[in-house]
């Protein structure tokens, strides 16, 4: 009953989340003290930060996402990126934008949370590149166990030494 745009997913998508609209201004000139402008990055840019090839502040972007400062544990360590794939539907639909805190990567702190993780490509010329997927972290010992929201998609079990966690999802603009 009611407008589906008012659906909330408690503890994740907050009812008062401002509607997603790209902010193309200069982040330092944002006049709203209660909001922060997070860079909206491509999958390649986020993976570059994960691989320590670049830093958030060095990354060039044309668009930003406005997010309430109080909802973020580390605004300076948080970026936004789009969800690709259906493995987290209906929670995160294809094209949704997530706020990803790349400062939180310790698996012991993330059990029961949604994480952005790197899935290795096949490597080599013309092969499949690395990509980002989103999963619930269900266990951190003896293996990292990442579970999709949607049945029929693979559960990923990885050795703890290969920590593929890019960061913790702290919120989202979900496409309904």
């Amino acid at each position: 009953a009611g407008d589906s745009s008012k659906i909330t997913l408690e503890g994740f998508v907050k009812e008062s989340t401002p509607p997603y609209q790209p902010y193309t201004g200069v982040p330092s000139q944002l006049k709203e003290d209660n909001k922060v402008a997070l860079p909206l990055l491509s999958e390649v840019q986020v993976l570059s930060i994960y691989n320590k090839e670049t830093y958030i502040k060095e990354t060039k972007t044309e668009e930003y996402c406005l997010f309430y400062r109080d909802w973020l544990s580390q605004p300076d360590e948080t970026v936004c990126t789009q969800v690709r794939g259906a493995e987290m539907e209906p929670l995160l639909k294809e094209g949704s934008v997530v706020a990803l805190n790349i400062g939180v990567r310790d698996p012991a702190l993330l059990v029961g949370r949604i994480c952005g993780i790197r899935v290795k490509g096949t490597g080599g010329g013309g092969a499949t590149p690395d990509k980002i997927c989103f999963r619930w972290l269900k266990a951190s010992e003896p293996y990292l166990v990442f579970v999709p929201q949607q049945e029929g998609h693979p559960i990923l079990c990885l050795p703890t030494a290969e920590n593929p966690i890019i960061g913790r999802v702290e919120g989202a603009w979900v496409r309904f």
Side-chain angles (χ1 to χ4, degrees), residues 45-116:
Q45 289 172 308
V46 173
L47 288 168
S48 179
I49 293 167
Y50 168 82
N51 291 325
K52 298 186 181 342
E53 296 165 359
T54 189
Y55 298 98
I56 294 173
K57 293 181 193 256
E58 296 174 349
T59 305
K60 304 274 188 251
T61 187
E62 300 288 320
E63 291 184 23
Y64 296 84
C65 303
L66 296 183
F67 209 83
Y68 289 115
R69 185 179 304 279
D70 293 347
W71 292 356
L72 303 170
S73 59
Q74 297 174 298
D76 291 340
E77 296 289 323
T78 305
V79 300
C80 289
T81 193
Q82 280 196 300
V83 173
R84 304 279 178 230
E87 51 271 325
M88 290 302 289
E89 288 187 7
L91 190 60
L92 295 175
K93 294 189 179 197
E94 171 104 24
S96 295
V97 175
V98 296
L100 187 62
N101 181 341
I102 61 172
V104 181
R105 296 188 55 234
D106 181 352
L109 301 174
L110 296 171
V111 174
R113 302 296 300 263
I114 297 174
C115 300

Side-chain angles (χ1 to χ4, degrees), residues 11 13 22 25 40 43 59 66 75 84-85 93-94 99 108 119 146 163 173:
V13 178
L40 178 59
E43 187 172 64
T59 305
L66 296 183
R84 304 279 178 230
K93 294 189 179 197
E94 171 104 24
V119 176
F146 297 98
N163 185 359
W173 290 269

